[in-house]
């Protein structure tokens, strides 16, 4: 009655349905897990320089912030059987006259399953430049550093989580040469 291809199609469709149900069950088993942990951030150096804007055709000058940061956290509680890796990133948020909210990524790191989850950095330089599109860093007393991460699961959504703890940098009122 049924041909070989018809039976093969039925087995394939049934297998896909079972796999989809199992994958959804895997997602549900960790979907409501709280992926937060405490983060201790500090700085050892905060300097601001006034540098030429090489990207623009005008002769504008922009602020370049240079910081060295300390970062201490233990991320082992974020790993479970459904976690493939973590994507960590350190951001600076601040307000200027021209922009209500500025966000700059200063550093990032990927931690895969099985790698060390304890971060203990001292006087580490940023990985990316900290440019402001103007002169908003000089004398800025409210630049907030936060560590956030994405949990990359085997199955499920990709949540963006901010660590519990932040640090406020106060940049000097004078440019460093």
């Amino acid at each position: 009655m049924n041909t070989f291809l018809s039976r093969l199609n039925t087995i394939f469709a049934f297998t896909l349905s079972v796999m989809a149900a199992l994958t959804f069950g895997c997602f549900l088993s960790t979907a409501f897990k709280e992926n937060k942990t405490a983060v201790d951030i500090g700085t050892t150096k905060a300097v601001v320089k006034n540098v030429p804007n090489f990207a623009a055709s005008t002769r504008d000058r922009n602020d370049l912030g240079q910081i060295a940061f300390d970062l201490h956290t233990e991320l082992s509680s974020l790993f479970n059987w459904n976690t493939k890796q973590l994507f960590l990133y350190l951001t600076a948020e601040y307000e200027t006259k021209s922009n209500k909210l500025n966000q700059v990524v200063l550093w990032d790191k990927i931690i895969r399953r099985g790698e060390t989850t304890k971060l203990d950095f001292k006087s580490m330089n940023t990985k990316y430049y900290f440019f402001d599109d103007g002169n908003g860093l000089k004398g800025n007393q409210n630049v907030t550093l936060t560590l956030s991460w994405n949990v990359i699961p085997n199955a499920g959504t990709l949540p963006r989580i901010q660590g519990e703890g932040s640090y406020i940098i106060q940049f000097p009122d004078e440019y460093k040469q």
Side-chain angles (χ1 to χ4, degrees):
M1 216 36 70
N2 293 332
T3 65
F4 174 74
L5 290 177
S6 175
R7 290 180 187 193
L8 188 64
N9 185 32
T10 303
I11 292 172
F12 181 70
F14 177 73
T15 303
L16 281 180
S17 300
V18 169
M19 294 298 282
L22 287 174
T23 302
F24 186 70
C26 292
F27 158 69
L28 280 181
S29 69
T30 58
F32 303 107
K33 183 180 182 297
E34 189 72 24
N35 289 315
K36 290 205 173 235
T37 190
V39 176
D40 183 28
I41 305 170
T43 58
T44 57
K45 174 182 85 169
V47 177
V48 64
K49 295 180 178 182
N50 195 254
V51 297
N53 184 1
F54 296 108
S57 60
T58 62
R59 298 198 184 260
D60 293 338
R61 295 183 70 83
N62 293 334
D63 284 355
L64 170 64
Q66 293 179 330
I67 64 170
F69 64 93
D70 297 337
L71 177 64
H72 308 284
T73 188
E74 173 59 49
L75 302 170
S76 61
S77 64
L78 302 177
F79 279 91
N80 57 47
W81 67 271
N82 192 26
T83 304
K84 188 185 304 184
Q85 65 186 20
L86 296 175
F87 176 70
L88 309 170
Y89 51 98
L90 182 72
T91 57
E93 294 184 4
Y94 59 101
E95 184 177 334
T96 60
K97 294 176 186 174
S98 58
N99 295 315
K100 179 94 173 134
L101 177 65
N102 297 282
Q103 293 180 318
V104 179
V105 174
L106 302 175
W107 174 86
D108 63 10
K109 180 175 179 61
I110 294 174
I111 299 178
R112 292 181 177 85
R113 176 189 301 279
E115 293 181 356
T116 182
T117 57
K118 184 175 183 180
L119 301 180
D120 190 18
F121 300 133
K122 294 185 187 325
S123 297
M124 186 159 177
N125 291 321
T126 60
K127 191 173 182 181
Y128 306 108
Y129 289 114
F130 187 3
F131 276 108
D132 180 62
D133 61 344
N135 300 74
L137 292 180
K138 177 181 154 188
N140 195 324
Q141 302 295 304
N142 196 18
V143 178
T144 306
L145 294 180
T146 56
L147 182 70
S148 302
W149 52 83
N150 293 104
V151 177
I152 315 293
N154 292 314
T157 60
L158 184 70
R160 186 183 74 195
I161 296 125
Q162 184 171 328
E164 295 175 344
S166 61
Y167 183 78
I168 297 176
I169 303 172
Q170 297 177 351
F171 277 105
D173 293 330
E174 300 295 323
Y175 289 120
K176 182 178 178 186
Q177 300 301 326

